[in-house]
Amino acid sequence: MSIAIAQARHIFGLKSGVTGNICYHDEQTIVYPAGSNCILYNTEQKTQKFIQGTDKSEGMTALAVSPNRRYVAIAEKGEKPTITIHDLHSLRKRKVLSSTDVQSGEYVSLAFSPDSKYLVAQGGKPDYTLLYWTWEKSKVMAVTKTSNPQTNPPVYQVTFNPQDNTQLCVVGNGIFKNFRYSEGNLKTFNFQKMELQNYLCHAWVSEERVIVGTDSGKLILFEAGEPKNEFNLAAMHKEEKKDEDGGSLTMTPQVTAIVSYSKGFACACGPGTVHLFEKTDDKDFFKKTREIKIPRDDNSADPAKAQQQIITCLTVSPSEETLVASTDLSQIYCITLPSADLGKSEGDQIQFDVLAQAFHYGQIMGLDVCIRKPLIATCSLDRSVRIWNYENCNLELYKEFAEEAYSIALHPSGLYILVGFSDKLRLMNLLIDDIRTFKEFTIRGCRECSFSNGGHLFAAVHSNVIQVYSTTTYENVANLKGHNGKVKSVVWTSDDSKIISAGMDGAVYEWDAFTGKRGAESVDKKCSYTGVAVTPDGKNTFAVGSDKSLREISDSMILREVKAGDMTLSSVCLSHSGRMLFSGTVKGTLWSFKFPLNEPGEWQEHPGHGSAVTKMRITYDDQFLITVAEDASIILWKIQDKEGRGLKRDKEVGWAEEILITKSDLEEKNTMMNDLKTRVDELKMENDYQQRLKDMNYQEKIKELTEKFIQEMEALKTKNQVLKTEKDKEEAKHEEDMNAVMDRHAKELQDVESANSQKLMLEYEKFQEQQQKMMKMQEDYDRQLVERDEAMMKALELKTEYYETKLVEMTAQLDQSKDESRQQNKEYEETKKQIEEDADREILDIKNNYEIRLRAEKEDNIKLRGESGIMKKKFTSLQKEIDDHKEEIKKYQAETSKLNNFIRNMEKDIQGLKKEIQERDDTIQDKMESELERFHKQNTQLELSIKELTQKLKATDKEMHQERQRVRDVEAVVKRFKTDLHNCVGYIQDPKMLKESIKALYSKHVQEDITESASVDADIQKEYSRQREHLERSVASLRKKLAKDSEIHRADNVRIMQENVSLIKEINDLRRELKIARTQIHDLEATLGLQSKQNKGDNAAVTTIAIKPPLAQIEQEIEEKNKIIKMQQMEIKRLRMDIEMGSRPSSSQKLPPVGSPVQQTA
């Protein structure tokens, strides 16, 4: 059990929106942010080094490299914004700066001083505070507010004067300020005297001059705070556009970035355009020399879109050889400045080159890895599909489409990709230089697709259905239905026998890839799963989702659940060896888990992306892990098990090198090659001829030059001989002068040496004398020191003896004083006890005396109080009676006002209840009317059907009567025939008579069409029976229908009765409330009546209060309301009788309010 090691190897991407997001470290290395990292990219070796961001950071906001190219400062936003300074050589963290003076959560701009010792940081909104740091000491030297406090416009950039550590320049919307640091303060100077504009960027072009760009496309050159020159790039841009577009209007271009160098400066103005300005002969001015544009992107559906990018940052290499630009679409472009200078002739168009690769700039939605080739496929919301080589870290192929791409899958052979666009799912060929569609599937907005490991099948998600197709026949082999929400992840097992899917509905399903049947399942509706991984044997599944945990699922059971704290895991990936488990988070970090999992779980966190990780894949040989995120960055991680185990790739097999190319392209290339070969041959012949001509010309020129040089050489030889003779003369003269000077100097040297030797002898003698004196003084001092030491020792002995005797005396005195103090303490305690006892006795005696006197005084007081109380009672009784009368009058007045208010409130309540009753009555009436209308419609329909049936019955009755009549006629004929036959039988003995009678019988009863009539009678009989059966069946069906309709009507009647019961209950509740209100009113009336009776017995002042008129009025109103309630009760009784009788009330009349309770009827 171990935690796998993960180390970032390469990052594809650039974080836009960071101020100064591209800088040079040295001539070959550029520094830029990507994800949560700062990257040092070597442009020659194509390698990267990384500086990781801090843990609790919310992303980088600004970047700056020191002028000595040794340090980088990274500003990161958060609750408390920080600035981290790293050493670019060792990549170690040097300092972390933070200050409480900043209210903002971010810094918008950073700048180092020219000597790299100071750092200035511009805070963001709302306060826009500027901090001046000595960063090595983490000390804030000065703080100031750069924005105007009234309007609080934004500030964009701050820089140091390149020659002065104390001078700063700040620009913003309506802000152009110069600050100077002195005595712990930043003071403004060189106040601007022109109209304020929205200044977006600036750069120092000399010690006194600053070039500033505005949002109106103007460049203003300031010197000592005063404008010296102005360039209107917007006007130039519009003139060029008019020439190109024929006068069509375009948006005003803005100056978004400026960088200065020794020859002048470069500025970005307009979409995808950089203007180069150089110094003129008059050093105060600059002139525009060249324009550099971003090239068209032929791999895009809109090739001109790349030219519309806004350049946000510019930087120049230390040797001023290369200009690098970054754009708002996270792309980096470069150009060598000497090549720009070469193309200065009019009409030449200079274009940038892409530095490294073209990156994604939209959220990356899809990722897949190839088995047979070292390829990665990604797709993004920027509508591009890109194929990367993770072995040499290059972009192999890319193409931008017209629709957004949501998912991608790479075939194991590396020759095909499957891309889910917003309109269709497309199967594409990866050609040598293009991506072409050869099959489309009608799956809109496919968010997840995946090839099987064998490549013979692929699965595509269509909303909540997984569709499995054959790669060879393109037939829909199976549809896996079961998810109720969107499917977020689909994984094949290593043997392609199973498909594991996870969705937003909290379900993880295991599907049989051949039968399409669902096997194991795990459903938790509280969690929305976003990622799933499966072990090589297909037994265990790992899933992550919104519940902030990693779950291990086996046989539909959750074996383990590792809680991730407050972090939500967005994706999960397991190595092909089954020993390494990784997960991505919504914060953008990578978690490497200890595997096999245990609870509560162990993991190691690696910072990587700046936002949520969307997809993760591990290469087939378990060497690399690829992660993509919403910040459009791709990180290639080198992974390794701590024990060093893993899958080892067979080096002899190597990677597949086959590529696809269409026959037409191949033929076109071959013809092009042949044309080029013939062109090369022609050029060779032409070059040979030109070379011969040039050789002949050069031979003639060489002859002329040799003759000329020979003549010049002879002239120089003669001149040289003359100079040699002059030189010899000068040397001889110089030697003579030198000899004279040497002789003079030798004499002077001898004189000085003799004088110095005499002085030296004198000084030596003095030195000897002084040394002898010093020896004598040393001996004297030593002797004196010895004597003093002896005296000190004697004095010390005497002192010690004296103090020892004194110490003995003092200890004796101390013992004596201690004994005395003990004795005095004992005496004090005894006296204290005696005094306390005496005091207690005296206190008791005094207390007894005073108690006796107090009792006597109290008795006297009680007697006097009784007398005075009697007198007071007599005196105040009359006063009290008067006061009581007055208070009663006031009380009665207050109570009457209260009762009046209460009566008003009760009236309001009665009115509210009446309104409620009215509303409920209206609702009851509306419901009843609607139900009765429905029943009437049904009744009319039934009546119509009954009428139809009765008409049919009448028709059948007529037919029956006809048939009966026919039967009667036939019976009469049969009777007549029987009688005639009976008569014939009487002639049975007489043959002649029998014969004649039979002939007569035959002629009487047998007609000519007897056969026809017989057959007709049989047909009539059959038709009659058939019609009868039909009528009987229709009558039976009508009876059944009638019974069914009656049942339905009975159920409706029951339902209506139940509704009536519930409504009657509500009416009774309202009546009860009304009854309670009435009792309250009655109680109030009673109290008012009692008060009026009491008031009659009081004095005349109370009788004057007019209570009776309002009471009479209230009683009258109550009587009226009682009458209304009785009328409503009568109306309700009438309506109930109507309902019971089955009659319908007229819809025009509304039910009046209800007064008394009604008995419920079932």
Side-chain angles (χ1 to χ4, degrees):
M1 292 175 71
S2 62
I3 299 174
I5 301 164
Q7 190 173 1
R9 185 192 174 209
H10 203 92
I11 299 178
F12 299 102
L14 169 71
K15 185 178 176 65
S16 59
V18 177
T19 308
N21 65 351
I22 190 121
C23 308
Y24 260 100
H25 167 40
D26 54 38
E27 195 61 34
Q28 292 83 32
T29 308
I30 59 169
V31 182
Y32 62 90
S36 65
N37 300 280
C38 187
I39 297 172
L40 280 71
Y41 178 68
N42 191 305
T43 54
E44 289 186 355
Q45 298 175 1
K46 312 292 185 189
T47 56
Q48 290 183 347
K49 294 178 183 176
F50 307 101
I51 297 171
Q52 292 182 349
T54 54
D55 293 337
K56 295 182 180 178
S57 157
E58 294 177 12
M60 299 181 191
T61 56
L63 197 73
V65 172
S66 62
N68 62 6
R69 311 286 177 183
R70 187 173 177 184
Y71 305 107
V72 62
I74 302 166
E76 295 172 295
K77 65 180 175 182
E79 290 182 6
K80 192 176 182 184
T82 58
I83 301 169
T84 313
I85 296 171
H86 293 265
D87 192 316
L88 285 170
H89 297 293
S90 63
L91 303 182
R92 290 182 181 173
K93 192 184 289 184
R94 289 293 302 270
K95 289 288 177 185
V96 178
L97 309 177
S98 63
S99 173
T100 55
D101 296 320
V102 180
Q103 296 176 12
S104 173
E106 61 178 347
Y107 293 103
V108 296
S109 182
L110 299 175
F112 278 97
S113 62
D115 60 0
S116 305
K117 290 183 179 178
Y118 301 98
L119 178 74
V120 66
Q122 176 62 60
K125 60 182 180 181
D127 54 340
Y128 291 104
T129 304
L130 184 69
L131 301 175
Y132 186 89
W133 300 80
T134 305
W135 66 266
E136 289 179 339
K137 296 179 183 176
S138 301
K139 184 180 178 183
V140 178
M141 304 288 286
V143 180
T144 188
K145 299 278 193 300
T146 52
S147 187
N148 298 324
Q150 292 84 12
T151 56
N152 204 23
V155 179
Y156 302 122
Q157 190 183 5
V158 59
T159 56
F160 270 100
N161 186 322
Q163 306 295 329
D164 189 354
N165 286 343
T166 61
Q167 191 174 342
L168 307 170
C169 181
V170 177
V171 296
N173 189 355
I175 298 166
F176 175 75
K177 293 182 180 179
N178 287 313
F179 290 92
R180 191 180 294 283
Y181 173 75
S182 64
E183 299 175 357
N185 291 312
L186 286 167
K187 298 176 182 176
T188 55
F189 70 101
N190 290 340
F191 292 99
Q192 187 187 349
K193 296 172 185 176
M194 67 179 289
E195 186 183 350
L196 296 174
Q197 300 183 52
N198 188 2
Y199 302 111
L200 299 178
C201 54
H202 72 281
W204 294 82
V205 290
S206 70
E207 188 176 353
E208 291 291 327
R209 290 189 290 172
V210 182
I211 190 82
V212 183
T214 70
D215 65 344
S216 58
K218 292 180 181 178
L219 285 172
I220 304 168
L221 182 66
F222 288 94
E223 185 171 356
E226 294 182 0
K228 285 285 182 184
N229 201 356
E230 185 175 306
F231 309 93
N232 194 344
L233 295 176
M236 300 178 195
H237 184 77
K238 281 179 183 176
E239 285 175 10
E240 291 171 6
K241 283 285 177 188
K242 279 181 183 178
D243 295 338
E244 292 173 10
D245 304 337
S248 62
L249 294 171
T250 55
M251 289 179 67
T252 304
Q254 299 180 345
V255 180
T256 52
I258 303 176
V259 65
S260 63
Y261 57 103
S262 59
K263 290 184 180 179
F265 64 89
C267 71
C269 181
T273 307
V274 172
H275 306 264
L276 294 181
F277 286 80
E278 289 187 1
K279 294 176 185 174
T280 59
D281 297 333
D282 183 3
K283 291 186 178 180
D284 290 339
F285 296 100
F286 295 86
K287 78 171 180 182
K288 181 180 170 183
T289 57
R290 294 300 297 155
E291 272 188 15
I292 308 169
K293 288 187 175 288
I294 292 173
R296 288 164 61 89
D297 187 1
D298 295 327
N299 292 319
S300 174
D302 182 10
K305 185 182 175 183
Q307 295 180 314
Q308 301 302 313
Q309 297 180 74
I310 303 298
I311 295 169
T312 55
C313 186
L314 293 170
T315 187
V316 177
S317 62
S319 65
E320 298 185 351
E321 288 284 323
T322 311
L323 175 68
V324 178
S326 66
T327 71
D328 60 337
L329 297 184
S330 303
Q331 306 300 322
I332 306 175
Y333 297 94
C334 68
I335 190 169
T336 53
L337 290 173
S339 69
D341 293 337
L342 287 171
K344 281 185 182 178
S345 61
E346 290 296 327
D348 288 346
Q349 183 73 40
I350 304 171
Q351 291 186 338
F352 280 105
D353 297 321
V354 176
L355 183 73
Q357 298 92 16
F359 302 129
H360 281 293
Y361 56 87
Q363 180 181 340
I364 300 174
M365 301 294 289
L367 168 71
D368 204 4
V369 178
C370 183
I371 295 174
R372 291 281 290 116
K373 292 182 180 182
L375 298 180
I376 307 164
T378 58
C379 67
S380 168
L381 293 181
D382 60 13
R383 302 180 177 181
S384 69
V385 172
R386 297 172 196 258
I387 309 297
W388 313 81
N389 190 315
Y390 62 80
E391 202 165 45
N392 54 22
C393 300
N394 277 336
L395 178 63
E396 293 280 325
L397 191 63
Y398 81 97
K399 190 171 183 179
E400 286 192 18
F401 296 90
E403 299 88 18
E404 292 179 345
Y406 296 130
S407 60
I408 194 165
L410 188 55
H411 194 269
S413 65
L415 300 176
Y416 318 106
I417 57 168
L418 190 68
V419 185
F421 289 99
S422 56
D423 58 345
K424 285 184 181 179
L425 178 70
R426 293 181 172 89
L427 191 60
M428 300 180 168
N429 281 326
L430 291 179
L431 302 179
I432 189 169
D433 56 357
D434 196 8
I435 301 172
R436 290 186 192 168
T437 305
F438 70 92
K439 181 66 181 174
E440 291 184 345
F441 302 91
T442 55
I443 299 175
R444 294 173 64 85
C446 177
R447 297 276 176 172
E448 191 69 27
C449 59
S450 175
F451 276 105
S452 63
N453 293 305
H456 60 294
L457 298 171
F458 68 84
V461 174
H462 189 192
S463 185
N464 56 357
V465 179
I466 304 165
Q467 297 182 353
V468 182
Y469 288 86
S470 170
T471 312
T472 51
T473 61
Y474 313 122
E475 290 180 359
N476 188 355
V477 178
N479 288 322
L480 312 180
K481 297 179 181 179
H483 283 282
N484 295 323
K486 289 183 180 179
V487 180
K488 297 294 286 183
S489 184
V490 174
V491 180
W492 294 79
T493 56
S494 57
D495 58 356
D496 292 340
S497 62
K498 296 176 184 175
I499 299 172
I500 312 299
S501 65
M504 298 290 285
D505 56 352
V508 176
Y509 293 139
E510 183 183 293
W511 309 86
D512 191 307
F514 302 108
T515 62
K517 292 181 179 178
R518 190 166 72 198
E521 62 180 45
S522 174
V523 181
D524 182 5
K525 292 184 179 179
K526 294 178 183 176
C527 174
S528 296
Y529 289 111
T530 54
V532 69
V534 64
T535 54
D537 57 5
K539 291 181 179 178
N540 292 7
T541 304
F542 300 91
V544 295
S546 60
D547 62 343
K548 299 179 181 179
S549 66
L550 171 65
R551 294 179 177 181
E552 183 178 357
I553 303 165
S554 178
D555 294 331
S556 305
M557 297 291 290
I558 297 171
L559 296 181
R560 291 172 196 83
E561 186 172 2
V562 177
K563 294 291 182 184
D566 294 332
M567 186 64 69
T568 302
L569 305 176
S570 58
S571 55
V572 66
C573 195
L574 184 68
S575 66
H576 296 89
S577 64
R579 297 193 187 97
M580 295 180 282
L581 182 65
F582 300 95
S583 180
T585 68
V586 292
K587 192 182 173 185
T589 56
L590 175 71
W591 284 18
S592 176
F593 283 91
K594 188 174 184 179
F595 196 79
L597 284 179
N598 57 358
E599 293 181 358
E602 293 180 38
W603 61 82
Q604 191 171 349
E605 188 172 12
H606 304 278
H609 298 280
S611 58
V613 177
T614 53
K615 297 287 178 185
M616 301 172 70
R617 291 289 186 273
I618 294 177
T619 59
Y620 188 68
D621 55 1
D622 284 351
Q623 295 294 313
F624 299 105
L625 166 69
I626 299 96
T627 58
V628 297
E630 292 176 359
D631 62 356
S633 61
I634 305 167
I635 301 183
L636 183 64
W637 304 82
K638 176 74 176 172
I639 57 172
Q640 188 182 0
D641 192 351
K642 276 198 175 177
E643 297 171 7
R645 297 178 299 174
L647 295 173
K648 292 186 178 178
R649 185 175 181 80
D650 190 356
K651 291 183 179 178
E652 293 178 1
V653 176
W655 298 110
E657 295 183 356
E658 300 88 6
I659 55 168
L660 286 180
I661 185 166
T662 60
K663 190 177 180 182
S664 59
D665 290 346
L666 189 62
E667 288 172 354
E668 189 181 339
K669 287 184 189 298
N670 288 331
T671 54
M672 194 185 291
M673 279 173 65
N674 293 326
D675 293 340
L676 289 169
K677 278 180 183 177
T678 55
R679 179 71 179 149
V680 165
D681 294 336
E682 289 172 1
L683 287 170
K684 274 184 181 178
M685 290 172 68
E686 191 176 344
N687 285 334
D688 291 339
Y689 176 68
Q690 292 290 334
Q691 195 172 0
R692 287 193 207 99
L693 288 173
K694 284 179 181 177
D695 286 342
M696 290 168 69
N697 292 328
Y698 286 141
Q699 288 293 336
E700 290 175 0
K701 284 182 182 178
I702 285 164
K703 282 178 183 178
E704 290 175 1
L705 288 168
T706 50
E707 289 173 0
K708 188 179 176 182
F709 285 136
I710 286 163
Q711 290 173 4
E712 287 178 358
M713 279 169 71
E714 286 175 356
L716 287 167
K717 278 179 182 178
T718 55
K719 194 175 181 181
N720 200 9
Q721 285 175 358
V722 172
L723 288 168
K724 271 186 180 180
T725 55
E726 287 178 0
K727 182 191 165 194
D728 292 337
K729 287 177 184 178
E730 289 290 331
E731 280 181 354
K733 188 180 178 183
H734 184 66
E735 282 179 1
E736 288 175 2
D737 293 339
M738 261 312 264
N739 289 329
V741 169
M742 289 294 286
D743 292 338
R744 190 170 70 249
H745 277 297
K747 286 177 183 177
E748 287 176 358
L749 190 66
Q750 285 177 2
D751 295 339
V752 169
E753 281 179 353
S754 62
N756 282 334
S757 63
Q758 288 175 1
K759 283 180 182 178
L760 217 141
M761 290 298 290
L762 291 168
E763 291 294 328
Y764 185 70
E765 288 173 359
K766 285 179 183 178
F767 174 69
Q768 289 290 335
E769 288 176 3
Q770 292 292 333
Q771 199 168 10
Q772 287 174 3
K773 282 181 183 178
M774 190 186 76
M775 292 295 287
K776 286 179 183 177
M777 286 173 74
Q778 187 73 29
E779 288 173 359
D780 292 338
Y781 282 130
D782 289 339
R783 191 175 61 256
Q784 287 176 10
L785 278 168
V786 169
E787 288 174 357
R788 283 192 178 182
D789 286 339
E790 289 175 355
M792 285 290 288
M793 289 297 289
K794 286 178 182 177
L796 190 67
E797 286 174 358
L798 291 169
K799 287 276 185 188
T800 51
E801 286 176 2
Y802 171 71
Y803 279 114
E804 279 176 358
T805 54
K806 201 165 185 180
L807 188 68
V808 170
E809 290 174 1
M810 291 300 287
T811 50
Q813 284 179 6
L814 189 68
D815 293 336
Q816 189 177 353
S817 62
K818 280 180 181 177
D819 294 336
E820 288 175 358
S821 68
R822 284 193 206 97
Q823 189 67 31
Q824 286 175 358
N825 279 330
K826 285 179 182 177
E827 289 175 0
Y828 170 71
E829 290 291 333
E830 286 293 327
T831 52
K832 186 180 171 186
K833 280 181 183 177
Q834 288 175 5
I835 289 162
E836 283 176 354
E837 287 173 358
D838 294 339
D840 290 336
R841 281 196 209 97
E842 286 177 3
I843 288 161
L844 286 168
D845 294 338
I846 291 162
K847 189 179 179 185
N848 292 327
N849 292 329
Y850 275 111
E851 281 178 354
I852 293 160
R853 287 172 65 186
L854 190 69
R855 282 194 203 98
E857 290 286 336
K858 278 182 180 178
E859 287 172 359
D860 295 337
N861 273 332
I862 288 161
K863 287 177 184 177
L864 291 167
R865 274 180 188 172
E867 290 174 1
S868 65
I870 291 160
M871 292 299 290
K872 275 183 183 178
K873 280 178 184 176
K874 286 177 182 178
F875 177 74
T876 56
S877 59
L878 295 168
Q879 190 70 32
K880 272 187 180 181
E881 285 177 3
I882 293 161
D883 293 336
D884 289 338
H885 284 301
K886 285 179 181 179
E887 283 175 5
E888 282 178 2
I889 289 160
K890 286 177 184 177
K891 278 181 186 178
Y892 290 138
Q893 286 175 351
E895 283 178 3
T896 50
S897 61
K898 280 181 185 177
L899 288 166
N900 286 327
N901 290 328
F902 189 71
I903 288 160
R904 288 191 202 100
N905 292 330
M906 292 304 293
E907 284 175 354
K908 286 177 184 176
D909 292 340
I910 288 161
Q911 286 174 359
L913 289 166
K914 281 179 181 178
K915 280 182 183 177
E916 284 183 10
I917 290 161
Q918 185 70 31
E919 287 170 0
R920 292 189 183 186
D921 288 341
D922 293 342
T923 54
I924 290 161
Q925 189 166 352
D926 293 338
K927 283 183 181 179
M928 287 175 69
E929 284 177 1
S930 60
E931 291 292 328
L932 287 166
E933 281 175 5
R934 189 164 63 82
F935 284 131
H936 273 289
K937 284 179 183 177
Q938 288 179 356
N939 286 330
T940 50
Q941 287 175 358
L942 290 168
E943 283 172 3
L944 287 169
S945 59
I946 287 160
K947 281 178 183 177
E948 287 175 2
L949 290 167
T950 51
Q951 285 173 0
K952 285 180 182 177
L953 278 168
K954 282 177 183 177
T956 50
D957 284 336
K958 279 182 183 179
E959 288 176 0
M960 238 169 76
H961 285 303
Q962 288 172 1
E963 289 295 326
R964 281 176 183 169
Q965 189 63 40
R966 283 177 192 170
V967 169
R968 285 193 201 98
D969 294 340
V970 169
E971 283 177 352
V973 169
V974 169
K975 274 184 181 180
R976 283 198 300 271
F977 182 73
K978 280 181 179 179
T979 54
D980 291 337
L981 188 63
H982 188 267
N983 293 327
C984 285
V985 170
Y987 298 109
I988 198 160
Q989 296 295 328
D990 189 358
K992 284 182 181 181
M993 289 298 290
L994 182 64
K995 185 178 179 183
E996 286 175 3
S997 63
I998 286 167
K999 279 180 181 179
L1001 184 67
Y1002 175 79
S1003 60
K1004 185 180 178 182
H1005 291 285
V1006 177
Q1007 285 84 14
E1008 291 177 359
D1009 55 348
I1010 190 163
T1011 53
E1012 291 177 6
S1013 65
S1015 61
V1016 168
D1017 291 339
D1019 292 337
I1020 289 164
Q1021 195 70 24
K1022 284 178 184 176
E1023 182 65 24
Y1024 168 73
S1025 61
R1026 189 174 61 76
Q1027 288 285 340
R1028 185 174 180 178
E1029 285 173 3
H1030 171 69
L1031 289 168
E1032 284 174 355
R1033 265 192 251 108
S1034 61
V1035 168
S1037 63
L1038 287 168
R1039 279 177 184 165
K1040 285 178 184 175
K1041 194 174 181 183
L1042 189 66
K1044 200 180 283 180
D1045 288 340
S1046 63
E1047 283 293 325
I1048 290 161
H1049 281 291
R1050 193 179 294 112
D1052 289 338
N1053 286 328
V1054 168
R1055 184 170 56 77
I1056 289 160
M1057 289 302 293
Q1058 287 174 354
E1059 287 178 1
N1060 286 338
V1061 167
S1062 62
L1063 290 168
I1064 288 161
K1065 280 181 183 177
E1066 289 180 7
I1067 290 162
N1068 286 331
D1069 293 337
L1070 290 169
R1071 284 171 177 160
R1072 284 191 203 96
E1073 290 174 8
L1074 192 62
K1075 202 179 242 183
I1076 291 160
R1078 277 180 180 171
T1079 53
Q1080 287 177 355
I1081 290 161
H1082 189 267
D1083 294 339
L1084 288 168
E1085 286 173 358
T1087 51
L1088 286 168
L1090 285 169
Q1091 283 174 5
S1092 62
K1093 284 176 185 177
Q1094 287 174 0
N1095 291 336
K1096 282 176 188 175
D1098 290 334
N1099 54 12
V1102 179
T1103 56
T1104 57
I1105 298 165
I1107 298 171
K1108 287 186 180 180
L1111 277 172
Q1113 193 176 355
I1114 288 160
E1115 284 176 357
Q1116 193 175 356
E1117 286 177 2
I1118 288 164
E1119 284 175 3
E1120 288 175 1
K1121 284 168 185 174
N1122 285 330
K1123 285 177 184 176
I1124 290 163
I1125 288 162
K1126 284 177 182 177
M1127 286 168 69
Q1128 287 171 348
Q1129 284 176 353
M1130 294 294 290
E1131 188 66 26
I1132 286 163
K1133 282 180 183 177
R1134 188 180 64 76
L1135 287 168
R1136 284 182 65 197
M1137 291 294 289
D1138 290 342
I1139 290 162
E1140 285 172 3
M1141 294 295 290
S1143 64
R1144 182 188 171 201
S1146 61
S1147 58
S1148 62
Q1149 292 179 356
K1150 288 192 175 179
L1151 289 170
V1154 181
S1156 61
V1158 179
Q1159 296 296 322
Q1160 292 183 7
T1161 57

